[in-house]
Amino acid sequence: MIRVNDYEFAYKGEEDLASFLLRTGHYSPFMVVSLNGTFLRRDDWSRYIVKDGDMIRTVDMIAGG
């Protein structure tokens, strides 16, 4: 299982983080992502391969004033 915020997804084999986020509907153009407690730069998402047991946190940025 791969946990994203409060949701769990079955591990389906080797997949990079960016593809995983798109496939599971957790991608937003204005968000930050941490993988197992480490925040990642958006440019690096395609370099990280998600593994069974990973914990992903996403935080959407919102504008305010």
Side-chain angles (χ1 to χ4, degrees):
M1 288 289 181
I2 299 171
R3 187 168 189 86
V4 181
N5 299 331
D6 294 326
Y7 302 95
E8 290 186 342
F9 297 90
Y11 177 69
K12 297 198 179 228
E14 192 170 298
E15 185 174 21
D16 67 73
L17 178 60
S19 298
F20 175 82
L21 292 170
L22 282 168
R23 179 176 62 81
T24 59
H26 284 88
Y27 179 87
S28 168
F30 303 105
M31 70 179 203
V32 293
V33 173
S34 73
L35 177 63
N36 300 320
T38 301
F39 283 95
L40 304 175
R41 293 172 33 110
R42 181 179 302 271
D43 294 342
D44 296 333
W45 292 358
S46 61
R47 296 181 192 159
Y48 286 89
I49 303 300
V50 293
K51 300 177 188 95
D52 197 23
D54 278 349
M55 295 187 67
I56 299 168
R57 291 277 180 205
T58 64
V59 178
D60 291 316
M61 297 294 143
I62 56 172

